[in-house]
Structure formats: structure tokens, C-alpha cells
């Protein structure tokens, strides 16, 4: 019987692979297990670290390209290559790293940066010095020339920027604040505003690709705006021309026979013309067949994640025997230990809370032992702080006794895995606490607390971002020192191996050298048979800075704070921003990080005011949100805030990227900035509004994880107004239309559907009345409502 079964499988395999062209490359190579990231090349020099793409750079024999406008200078040790792009470079090119007659491809596109002249009208005033600081220069005014007065009485500066949205402030004679002449601004959470700069681009003539149909052997795409060149990749191999039949409006290509040898592999596609580069397509394959059923996805499929983040101390108290609050008069209760622990978290895994909600990946706050005495001081509240948050490590290997034990953490991870849940640990590499034995034994392994001019090097987030201390008791580790990098990456690997983790959330990424990220990711790959694990980082800054950490050899994604900042204020109904601005910044994000990126789309986090506080009007736009949480009780005086929060969840759970739910946002917890945004989670006593929100978030989360179109679908913008938005996701014959009404009034929304959407039958997730007829959608939407039509 067993032999008969094996024979049938063999015959089926031969049938599937018959007549399918072969690449004849070693598909099981470790260099083919992670998708080589897209590179954006500037005109001129581009230093590339070969280790990001080839595990052993010394194995590289040669480098070639599809473009004659690219030249290569390889370092003697083969660790780096300078890709020199001429001004005549086409929009897209393929670079091949040859290893033992096998070409591993790196897809490359030309930068889209343009010269943009920014002007400021002083309205009759004179300034000796006008500077701009923002996401375009990573908030470092000195990195950009000062604005100069032109003959029209305006201050101006020319910036070289990619099209998109940038937050900024002006420094007028040293006083930095929002641009007083720009009405478009968002709250920065610290009693000030950030203005919004819009750099327009012309991408309406770029090719546009859509997945159309497939068979067991081929895939067909449709094309808008004729493509001149098409680049199709299976894993890290570019498909040769004999695989591809490219017409003016359709592209059909063969699935290589080797794909049947891998349980999971991917097709990626780009197209270009003289105007620019298309959107990217990502098509997962299951044993060589196009994957269309979400049930076939596993915990290892990174795009399928929905992350849930909790501060362990503030989540669930499951073992009161390890409760050890400081109970000191100089430590306010708000910043003391509240009793949450690993036992409580495990209980919520076991009782199915996360499964019912739809979250399948847990991001757990740092578990390292923290000091037993308080540090820091907040004068307005006359309080010191405990390390309840976990970010002040005094040990690199021991779980804090107030959270549990190492064995408890091992058990928890095992229970999570049995429940098909990933576990990401929040790892702190940037600093240690000054009580840490590592610092006490080797103070020379930390950066200097003082700058050469004698001033304190604390909270210098931008101008000294790689050396600044976060506080005087938190030494920043000198990660330019290879010894320190080796020790700290070994520390991270200890947690990964000892507890069988699925990846990391990394704290303060932009304050850590790229050398650290490359070394850690290399060690992870070598331990995991060449395969990377999911790593997501935290960086506040420009898309350029954020994306500099996103390569096959470093991080998979970072939290997209740039999208969050504008979406948060828009859906909360404060600050004057609108959905058209959200669409613009989302489009820029999809261009920068890719249409199938692994960026984190957050509902909130532990360093920001809760969405509900702004949406209910209890926290005022532009006030000091940290002080507000200390000075008064932030409640919920306007219950429409729950409806607004569901709009934010709808957005995060239907756009490309990885949704990240901050604990309590599924029921609408409120609070001002840290520590008020870190209230204890509640699992019972929910009011009707909280229960309804939880049910809706759960519905959306399960909708996402059970429909491949919301995981791998192409993003299609249909129509955006200031307070309504209709967009779609398309994955072959599967289509989803998302409708958002961000208005205080009910609306009938009518739109013409693009030709790329061919379905005429849809179902409403939230039971709104709608019709689709003759290529037009008409839907009745209550105030502050959303729907997903499948």
C-alpha cells in the first residue's frame, strides 16, 4: 500500500513538471533561502555588503549586470562592492553575484529623487537664521543648508528628495517649532506640532501589474501602461527570457520545474518603462503551485503574521507569589511594578484569548532582570521610576524574578507553539543599566557620557544618535567595537536558542550600528540552516534612514511611524489632516518599502498617547501629553471614539504590511502618554462599546488570516476624498474592497471600479447595504464606519 502511494505521488510529480522549463541551478543552496531585497541605487557610488546576499562573500567569483550603466569595484576581501550607477542608468536593472557558476540575483532600481524647492514666507519678519529639521534630514538641521532669503522675500532651500510626505519643523533664530504658515500639521506628543510637507511625484505613467490567472505550470499578469522590460524572479534566480511571454497588456511566464522541490517558495515581479518602475508582485508557491488558500500558510510565513504587543507587567497577574512592587514613597504607583507576569500571559494563551482575537504572533516586552531600586526622576510628579517596563537590563541571561523564571519562559514558548503562535522577544542591544556586571567590568565598552565640548551626551537622538545615552544611568554600548558587537550578538543568540524564539523586536534601532545587525542576522542564518527569522525594529526618522536597515542581511521590517503619525491623527479626528494625506504617505511607504513589505502597522505603542484619548477629546491636540497623564484622569467622554478606533484597525488590518495591536487597543483602553498609556489590561467587566469593538477587531483579524487576498493581494487605490476612502486588494480572482467613512455624518459612497477588478459578487463583513452593478459600487455607510467587501 505504501509503495502504491509513493508511486502515485511520483507520477503526479512527473505530470506537474513535464514540459516545465528548468533553471538547472542548486535550489537548496543556503543563498536561496531568503529573498534578496530590492536595492535602490543612487547615481554614483553605492556600497553594498555582499554578506547581506551571500552567506560567505569569499565564494563570489564575479559580478555581472543586465545594465551596461553599472560598474563594480569589489574590495580585496570581497566583503563589499561599490556599485557605480551612471546618470544614464535605466529605471531597473538586475545584478548577479556568481558563486560556482550559479547566479544569485539582486533586483535594483534607480533612485526617484528629485530637486524640490522648499519656501517659507516670513510674513514681513526678518530672521538671522532659518533652518529646517525633519524626516528629510533625520531631524538634524545642520545636515541641510540654511534657508536663504530670495528676491521675492521668501526663505528657500533646495532639497533632493523622493516624492512623498515629510514631517518637519522650522528653527527660526534657534527657536524650533512647526511652520506657522503651513496649516497641515500633526501632534508630536510633546506639546508641539510637526508640519507636513508634500513632495509631489509623477508616477501615473509607471507600469502597473496585477495578478490575473494561473495554471499548474504558468502565471499570467495584466499590465497597465505598457512595460518595456519585465523582471521575473523565482527565489533569487531571475527567470531567463525563454520563460516569459510579454505582450502589451499581459505577461505570462512559466513556473520553473525546480519550484516543485520546495514546500514554500516565491515569485516576484517588477516591470519598467522610461517613466519608472511598477509596483512589485509577490506570489507564494506551495510545492510549485500558486498558493491561494490561507489555511496552507504556517507560522513561518512572515506575511501572515498579526502581532500582539504587551508589556508583561501590565498584562495579566497569574502568580501573586512573585509580586514585588517597590512600595516606596519616592516611587509613584503609576511607575511601580503592578504584578503582570509570564504565568498570566501563559494563562491567556491557554484560554484561547489570542486565538479568538486572531493574533498569531506575540511581541513580549524585555524580560531581562532589571534593578531592584528606582532610578531617574520626574520633577513635576516628584517620582523616581522602577524598571517595570524591562528596558534597564542588569543581566543578559536571566528572566526578571518579578516576571517569572527562565523555565517558565521556556514553557510559555512551548505552549505558544502548540497553539500555533509565534513569540518575538523585545531585545535591548543599545544599552545596559549601570548595575550590569558587563559595564562594571568593562566601562571602556561604553560610549562617553560627555561630548568633546564637555556637555552631556544624553538624549541627543539625531546629531549623536550612535553614541548618545538615554539617561545618565544607562550606558550606551560602543557597538563600533567588534568585541562588543560579538558579545551582544551572542547574548541575543542565547535568548533565541535557549527559549526557541521565533524572532525579535529590536529596541532603538537607529542608535545601533549596522555592523551589529549584520552580525546578528548572519549568526541567525548560520544557526537556522541559512534561513532568517523575523526581526522588526524601532526607528523614528526618515524613510531613507528606516530603509537603510532593511536588507536581506539585517532587518525584515520596522514600525511605520510615518504612516502611523498621519493616520492616527486623521482617524482620531484631530489636527486637520485628512484621508488624502494618509493615502499619499501610504503610497510613499509602499514605494519605499515595497507593496508586500513586512513593516509594522501599529494601533499604538507604549511610548505614545492612546488613540482613544485623542479621539474622545479628553487629550487635547498639541498639549503636553505626558504631563496631562500626570495632572488629570484621562477618560472617555465621547463614545464615538470607539467607532474611530475601529477605522484605524480596519486600515491596519487591510493594507500591506504586518498589523500590530497594542494591548488594550482591541477594547479601547485610553490614556495619555507614558506612563498613562500603560494601564493594566482588563479581561472582564467590559462595557457594551468595548465588547463590540473587540468583536469587530476579531472579525477583521480572522478575515485577514483566512483570506490570501488580504495578505498577498496587490493594493489598488480607487477613490479618496478628505473623509472617505475606497481601496482594494486583488490576488488573481480573489478581490477585497475596503470602504471607510471618516465623517461624522452617514454617507452614500458611489465609485466606479477599475477594470482590474472583475468580480461582480461580494459579501459585506459588517452588513452594510450595497450594490455592485455595471462596474459601479454603491454603499450606504453610517458615520465613522468601515466595511470590507469580499
Amino acid at each position: 500500500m505504501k509503495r502504491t502511494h509513493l508511486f502515485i505521488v511520483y507520477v503526479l510529480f512527473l505530470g506537474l513538471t513535464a514540459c516545465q522549463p528548468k533553471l538547472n541551478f542548486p535550489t537548496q543552496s543556503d543563498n536561496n533561502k531568503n529573498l534578496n531585497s530590492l536595492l535602490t541605487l543612487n547615481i554614483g557610488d553605492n556600497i553594498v555588503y555582499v554578506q547581506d546576499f551571500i552567506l560567505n562573500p569569499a565564494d563570489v567569483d564575479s559580478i555581472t549586470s543586465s545594465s551596461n550603466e553599472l560598474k563594480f569595484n569589489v574590495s580585496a576581501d570581497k566583503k563589499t562592492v561599490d556599485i557605480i550607477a551612471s546618470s544614464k542608468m535605466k529605471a531597473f536593472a538586475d545584478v548577479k553575484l556568481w558563486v560556482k557558476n550559479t547566479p544569485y540575483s539582486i533586483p535594483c532600481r534607480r533612485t526617484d529623487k528629485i530637486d524640490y524647492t522648499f519656501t517659507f514666507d516670513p510674513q514681513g519678519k526678518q530672521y538671522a537664521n532659518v533652518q529646517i529639521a525633519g524626516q528629510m534630514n533625520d531631524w538634524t538641521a545642520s545636515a541641510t543648508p540654511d534657508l536663504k532669503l530670495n528676491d521675492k522675500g521668501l526663505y528657500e532651500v533646495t532639497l533632493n528628495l523622493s516624492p512623498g510626505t515629510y514631517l518637519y519643523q522650522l528653527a527660526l533664530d534657534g527657536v524650533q517649532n512647526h511652520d506657522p504658515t503651513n496649516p497641515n500639521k500633526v501632534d508630536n506628543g510633546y506639546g508641539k506640532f510637526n508640519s507636513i510637507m508634500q513632495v509631489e511625484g509623477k508616477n501615473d505613467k509607471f507600469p502597473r501589474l496585477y495578478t490575473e490567472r494561473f495554471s499548474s505550470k504558468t502565471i499570467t499578469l495584466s499590465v497597465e501602461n505598457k512595460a518595456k522590460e519585465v523582471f521575473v524572479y523565482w527565489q533569487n534566480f531571475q527567470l531567463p527570457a525563454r520563460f516569459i511571454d510579454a505582450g502589451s497588456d499581459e505577461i505570462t511566464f512559466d513556473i520553473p520545474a525546480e519550484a516543485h522541490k520546495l514546500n514554500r517558495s516565491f515569485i516576484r515581479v517588477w516591470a519598467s518603462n522610461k517613466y519608472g518602475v511598477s509596483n512589485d508582485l509577490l506570489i507564494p508557491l506551495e510545492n510549485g503551485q500558486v498558493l491561494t488558500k490561507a489555511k496552507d500558510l504556517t507560522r513561518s510565513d512572515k506575511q501572515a503574521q498579526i502581532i500582539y504587543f504587551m508589556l508583561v507587567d501590565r498584562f495579566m497577574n497569574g502568580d501573586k507569589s512573585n509580586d514585588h512592587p517597590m512600595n516606596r514613597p519616592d516611587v509613584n504607583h503609576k511607575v511601580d511594578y503592578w504584578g503582570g507576569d509570564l504565568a498570566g500571559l501563559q494563562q491567556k494563551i491557554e484560554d484561547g484569548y489570542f486565538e479568538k482575537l486572531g493574533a498569531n504572533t506575540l511581541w513580549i516586552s524585555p524580560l531581562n532582570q532589571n534593578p531592584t531600586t528606582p532610578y531617574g526622576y520626574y520633577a513635576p510628579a516628584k517620582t523616581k521610576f522602577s524598571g517595570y517596563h524591562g528596558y534597564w537590563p542588569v543581566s543578559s541571561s536571566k528572566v526578571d524574578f518579578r516576571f517569572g523564571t527562565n523555565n517558565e519562559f521556556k514553557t510559555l514558548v512551548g505552549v505558544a507553539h502548540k497553539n500555533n503562535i509565534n513569540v518575538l522577544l523585545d531585545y535591548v542591544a543599545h544599552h545596559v543599566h549601570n548595575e550590569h556586571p558587563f559595564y562594571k567590568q568593562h566601562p571602556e565598552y561604553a560610549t562617553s557620557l560627555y561630548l568633546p565640548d564637555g556637555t552631556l551626551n544624553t538624549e541627543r537622538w539625531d546629531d549623536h544618535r550612535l553614541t548618545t545615552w538615554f539617561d545618565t544611568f544607562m550606558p550606551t554600548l560602543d557597538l563600533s567595537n567588534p568585541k562588543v558587537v560579538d558579545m551582544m550578538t551572542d547574548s541575543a543568540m542565547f535568548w533565541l536558542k535557549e527559549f526557541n524564539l521565533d524572532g525579535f523586536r529590536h529596541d532603538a534601532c537607529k542608535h545601533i550600528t549596522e555592523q551589529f545587525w549584520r552580525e546578528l542576522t548572519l549568526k541567525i542564518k548560520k544557526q537556522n540552516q541559512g534561513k532568517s527569522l523575523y526581526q522588526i525594529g524601532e526607528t523614528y526618522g526618515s524613510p531613507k534612514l528606516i530603509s537603510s536597515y532593511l536588507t536581506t542581511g539585517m532587518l525584515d521590517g520596522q514600525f511605520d511611524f510615518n504612516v502611523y503619525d498621519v493616520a492616527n491623527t486623521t482617524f482620531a479626528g484631530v489636527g486637520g489632516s485628512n484621508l488624502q494625506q494618509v493615502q499619499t504617505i501610504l503610497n510613499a511607504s509602499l514605494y519605499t518599502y515595497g507593496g508586500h513589505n513586512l513593516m509594522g502597522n501599529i494601533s499604538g505603542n507604549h511610548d505614545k498617547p492612546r488613540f482613544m484619548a485623542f479621539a474622545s477629546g479628553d487629550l487635547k491636540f498639541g498639549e503636553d501629553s505626558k504631563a496631562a497623564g500626570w495632572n488629570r484622569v484621562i477618560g472617555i467622554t465621547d463614545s464615538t471614539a470607539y467607532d474611530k478606533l475601529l477605522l484605524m484597525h480596519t486600515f491596519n488590518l487591510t493594507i500591506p504590511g504586518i498589523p500590530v495591536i497594542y494591548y488594550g487597543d482591541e477594547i479601547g483602553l485610553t490614556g495619555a502618554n507614558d506612563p498613562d498609556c500603560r494601564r493594566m489590561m482588563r479581561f472582564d467587566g467590559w462595557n457594551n462599546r468595548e465588547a463590540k469593538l473587540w468583536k469587530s477587531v476579531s472579525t477583521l483579524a480572522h478575515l485577514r488570516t483566512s483570506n490570501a487576498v488580504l495578505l498577498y493581494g496587490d493594493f489598488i487605490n480607487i477613490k479618496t476624498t478628505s473623509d472617505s476612502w475606497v481601496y482594494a486588494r486583488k490576488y488573481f480572482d480573489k478581490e477585497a474592497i475596503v470602504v471607510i467613512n471618516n465623517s461624522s455624518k452617514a454617507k452614500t459612497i458611489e465609485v466606479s471600479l477599475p477594470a482590474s477588478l472583475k468580480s461582480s459578487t461580494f459579501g459585506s463583513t459588517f452588513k452594510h447595504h450595497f450594490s455592485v452593478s455595471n462596474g459601479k459600487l454603491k454603499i450606504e455607510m453610517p458615520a465613522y464606519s468601515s466595511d470590507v467587501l469580499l
Side-chain angles (χ1 to χ4, degrees):
M1 189 75 172
K2 186 175 181 181
R3 289 182 178 179
T4 302
H5 174 73
L6 290 174
F7 177 74
I8 293 172
V9 171
Y10 179 68
V11 170
L12 288 172
F13 175 79
L14 288 179
L16 288 171
T17 58
C19 301
Q20 278 188 271
K22 296 182 178 180
L23 291 168
N24 295 315
F25 296 136
T27 58
Q28 300 290 345
S29 164
D30 285 350
N31 295 320
N32 199 40
K33 292 184 178 179
N34 307 287
L35 301 181
N36 285 346
S37 49
L38 172 71
L39 292 183
T40 298
L41 300 180
N42 295 313
I43 303 305
D45 297 312
N46 299 269
I47 302 300
V48 175
Y49 289 80
V50 178
Q51 173 187 301
D52 288 355
F53 308 100
I54 303 296
L55 280 179
N56 185 3
D59 291 342
V60 175
D61 301 317
S62 60
I63 303 176
T64 62
S65 174
S66 63
S67 172
N68 293 327
E69 304 305 328
L70 298 181
K71 307 299 180 185
F72 308 101
N73 285 334
V74 183
S75 63
D77 57 9
K78 297 186 179 181
K79 291 184 178 180
T80 62
V81 56
D82 182 3
I83 301 179
I84 306 169
S86 83
S87 59
K88 297 180 180 179
M89 177 189 172
K90 294 180 181 179
F92 202 93
D94 178 74
V95 170
K96 289 180 170 61
L97 304 179
W98 290 82
V99 177
K100 298 177 181 178
N101 296 318
T102 301
Y104 297 98
S105 284
I106 305 174
C108 301
R109 68 180 176 192
R110 174 178 166 152
T111 181
D112 65 340
K113 287 184 178 179
I114 58 176
D115 284 339
Y116 172 79
T117 300
F118 172 81
T119 60
F120 164 63
D121 184 354
Q123 298 179 333
K125 296 181 180 180
Q126 293 290 322
Y127 297 98
N129 184 251
V130 178
Q131 296 178 298
I132 187 169
Q135 292 174 331
M136 73 293 297
N137 57 13
D138 295 312
W139 297 98
T140 305
S142 60
T144 299
D146 292 356
L147 279 72
K148 301 298 184 184
L149 198 62
N150 63 21
D151 56 7
K152 296 180 180 179
L154 303 177
Y155 289 90
E156 69 175 24
V157 64
T158 299
L159 308 170
N160 190 241
L161 300 173
S162 295
T165 300
Y166 298 85
L167 301 182
Y168 73 97
Q169 292 183 339
L170 291 178
L172 306 177
D173 288 342
V175 179
Q176 187 165 313
N177 209 327
H178 65 279
D179 183 343
T181 66
N182 184 352
N184 298 319
K185 58 185 185 293
V186 296
D187 191 291
N188 72 355
Y190 297 97
K192 291 185 178 181
F193 301 94
N194 293 329
S195 297
I196 301 174
M197 174 195 299
Q198 182 63 49
V199 179
E200 299 293 343
K202 296 182 179 180
N203 57 8
D204 56 333
K205 294 183 179 180
F206 292 3
R208 181 76 195 179
L209 302 177
Y210 304 98
T211 48
E212 283 298 331
R213 58 188 181 274
F214 60 90
S215 68
S216 62
K217 298 178 182 179
T218 64
I219 295 174
T220 298
L221 316 175
S222 61
V223 188
E224 292 179 359
N225 298 333
K226 186 176 180 180
K228 186 175 183 180
E229 292 185 288
V230 179
F231 298 81
V232 183
Y233 298 86
W234 174 72
Q235 292 297 97
N236 292 324
F237 299 124
Q238 183 187 13
L239 299 190
R242 60 188 172 87
F243 279 69
I244 304 169
D245 179 13
S248 60
D249 56 5
E250 282 197 343
I251 300 167
T252 299
F253 54 87
D254 295 301
I255 300 171
E258 289 89 344
H260 294 278
K261 299 179 181 179
L262 297 184
N263 176 258
R264 176 74 74 252
S265 61
F266 293 89
I267 293 286
R268 292 182 294 167
V269 188
W270 287 269
S272 65
N273 59 21
K274 66 179 182 179
Y275 300 105
V277 180
S278 72
N279 57 307
D280 60 297
L281 299 184
L282 179 70
I283 304 170
L285 304 179
E286 175 94 0
N287 297 315
Q289 301 295 295
V290 172
L291 187 154
T292 58
K293 297 179 180 179
K295 67 179 181 63
D296 294 328
L297 297 168
T298 71
R299 286 197 300 111
S300 299
D301 287 296
K302 296 176 180 179
Q303 265 82 11
Q305 297 179 103
I306 295 179
I307 297 175
Y308 187 97
F309 165 48
M310 80 294 296
L311 285 171
V312 173
D313 180 64
R314 302 299 167 90
F315 191 64
M316 175 77 173
N317 190 341
D319 180 5
K320 294 187 181 299
S321 69
N322 61 27
D323 290 2
H324 297 282
M326 292 187 176
N327 284 334
R328 292 173 44 145
D330 57 346
V331 177
N332 189 289
H333 174 68
K334 288 185 177 182
V335 291
D336 204 348
Y337 284 87
W338 286 7
D341 49 32
L342 294 174
L345 176 54
Q346 184 171 321
Q347 288 174 20
K348 299 314 294 179
I349 296 172
E350 291 174 327
D351 74 12
Y353 182 80
F354 301 107
E355 181 183 3
K356 294 170 188 174
L357 180 62
N360 53 28
T361 298
L362 302 182
W363 154 23
I364 299 176
S365 58
L367 296 176
N368 307 63
Q369 181 64 50
N370 270 233
T372 56
T373 54
Y375 282 81
Y377 188 70
Y378 183 62
K382 299 179 181 178
T383 185
K384 294 181 179 179
F385 298 80
S386 75
Y388 70 94
H389 42 67
Y391 290 96
W392 298 345
V394 298
S395 170
S396 296
S397 60
K398 182 182 177 183
V399 170
D400 194 302
F401 64 86
R402 291 157 291 204
F403 299 150
T405 66
N406 284 30
N407 285 335
E408 284 183 278
F409 188 34
K410 285 182 184 178
T411 301
L412 181 149
V413 175
V415 170
H417 289 170
K418 287 181 181 178
N419 285 272
N420 206 32
I421 294 174
N422 291 320
V423 178
L424 309 178
L425 181 64
D426 199 325
Y427 184 73
V428 182
H430 169 265
H431 60 264
V432 293
H433 192 277
N434 61 19
E435 290 185 14
H436 198 298
F438 179 59
Y439 177 66
K440 288 184 175 181
Q441 295 167 15
H442 294 284
E444 72 277 11
Y445 287 165
T447 62
S448 175
L449 179 57
Y450 293 92
L451 295 170
D453 63 4
T455 58
L456 273 176
N457 186 15
T458 55
E459 299 186 1
R460 303 292 290 267
W461 310 124
D462 302 306
D463 56 342
H464 293 279
R465 65 180 176 88
L466 294 176
T467 62
T468 191
W469 288 34
F470 289 6
D471 211 325
T472 55
F473 56 87
M474 284 191 283
T476 291
L477 298 176
D478 182 6
L479 291 166
S480 67
N481 184 333
K483 289 184 180 180
V484 181
V485 169
D486 189 51
M487 286 185 281
M488 290 306 293
T489 51
D490 280 349
S491 168
M493 292 303 296
F494 164 80
W495 290 91
L496 195 72
K497 292 184 287 187
E498 182 72 9
F499 301 102
N500 194 25
L501 300 173
D502 302 290
F504 291 114
R505 179 270 187 184
H506 290 294
D507 187 52
C509 284
K510 77 172 187 179
H511 302 291
I512 297 172
T513 63
E514 292 183 8
Q515 179 184 358
F516 172 86
W517 304 120
R518 287 196 163 88
E519 184 66 19
L520 175 58
T521 302
L522 181 62
K523 288 182 177 180
I524 291 174
K525 288 179 179 177
K526 287 183 175 179
Q527 179 195 297
N528 200 34
Q529 291 80 49
K531 186 73 174 173
S532 67
L533 295 175
Y534 184 68
Q535 298 183 86
I536 186 167
E538 174 206 39
T539 293
Y540 292 88
S542 66
K544 177 183 177 182
L545 178 63
I546 293 169
S547 61
S548 68
Y549 294 96
L550 304 181
T551 79
T552 311
M554 292 196 282
L555 303 181
D556 295 280
Q558 300 217 56
F559 301 111
D560 201 337
F561 294 119
N562 296 330
V563 169
Y564 168 82
D565 284 340
V566 178
N568 176 60
T569 55
T570 299
F571 289 121
V574 295
S577 52
N578 61 58
L579 288 177
Q580 290 169 323
Q581 291 171 334
V582 181
Q583 180 215 331
T584 298
I585 197 166
L586 176 64
N587 287 346
S589 180
L590 295 178
Y591 177 83
T592 301
Y593 312 119
H596 300 277
N597 63 71
L598 294 168
M599 299 288 285
N601 298 314
I602 63 172
S603 64
N605 75 10
H606 53 316
D607 295 324
K608 293 180 176 293
R610 291 274 188 176
F611 177 97
M612 290 292 289
F614 279 130
S616 68
D618 291 81
L619 186 63
K620 304 305 178 185
F621 186 59
E623 74 172 306
D624 187 331
S625 58
K626 184 180 289 288
W630 287 102
N631 296 335
R632 66 179 191 271
V633 175
I634 304 296
I636 300 173
T637 56
D638 183 353
S639 63
T640 58
Y642 292 99
D643 300 322
K644 296 176 181 179
L645 180 52
L646 182 57
L647 299 186
M648 185 74 172
H649 283 301
T650 301
F651 176 68
N652 284 341
L653 286 161
T654 57
I655 62 173
I658 308 299
V660 184
I661 300 171
Y662 179 42
Y663 83 95
D665 281 346
E666 70 270 35
I667 61 171
L669 283 188
T670 192
N673 209 335
D674 164 24
D676 197 37
C677 58
R678 304 173 180 185
R679 300 180 186 183
M680 199 72 183
M681 178 60 186
R682 293 187 289 106
F683 296 98
D684 52 28
W686 295 347
N687 62 41
N688 290 337
R689 279 293 212 163
E690 291 170 332
K692 181 182 178 182
L693 178 61
W694 189 96
K695 183 179 180 181
S696 297
V697 173
S698 173
T699 296
L700 288 168
H702 285 287
L703 197 71
R704 183 181 180 91
T705 55
S706 60
N707 288 277
V709 66
L710 292 174
L711 302 173
Y712 296 103
D714 321 322
F715 183 87
I716 304 170
N717 192 70
I718 298 176
K719 184 178 180 180
T720 315
T721 69
S722 62
D723 59 7
S724 68
W725 196 357
V726 183
Y727 58 84
R729 304 289 300 274
K730 172 181 168 57
Y731 184 64
F732 296 102
D733 62 337
K734 309 300 180 184
E735 297 173 0
I737 300 176
V738 181
V739 184
I740 294 173
N741 177 19
N742 194 35
S743 168
S744 60
K745 298 179 180 179
K747 281 192 172 191
T748 299
I749 296 177
E750 297 184 71
V751 295
S752 296
L753 299 179
S756 55
L757 298 180
K758 297 179 172 58
S759 296
S760 58
T761 303
F762 291 88
S764 166
T765 300
F766 293 128
K767 311 305 180 186
H768 295 126
H769 182 267
F770 76 98
S771 64
V772 176
S773 178
N774 297 320
K776 293 185 177 181
L777 166 67
K778 181 178 181 180
I779 184 168
E780 305 295 332
M781 298 294 293
Y784 299 123
S785 66
S786 62
D787 207 345
V788 182
L789 310 180
L790 283 169

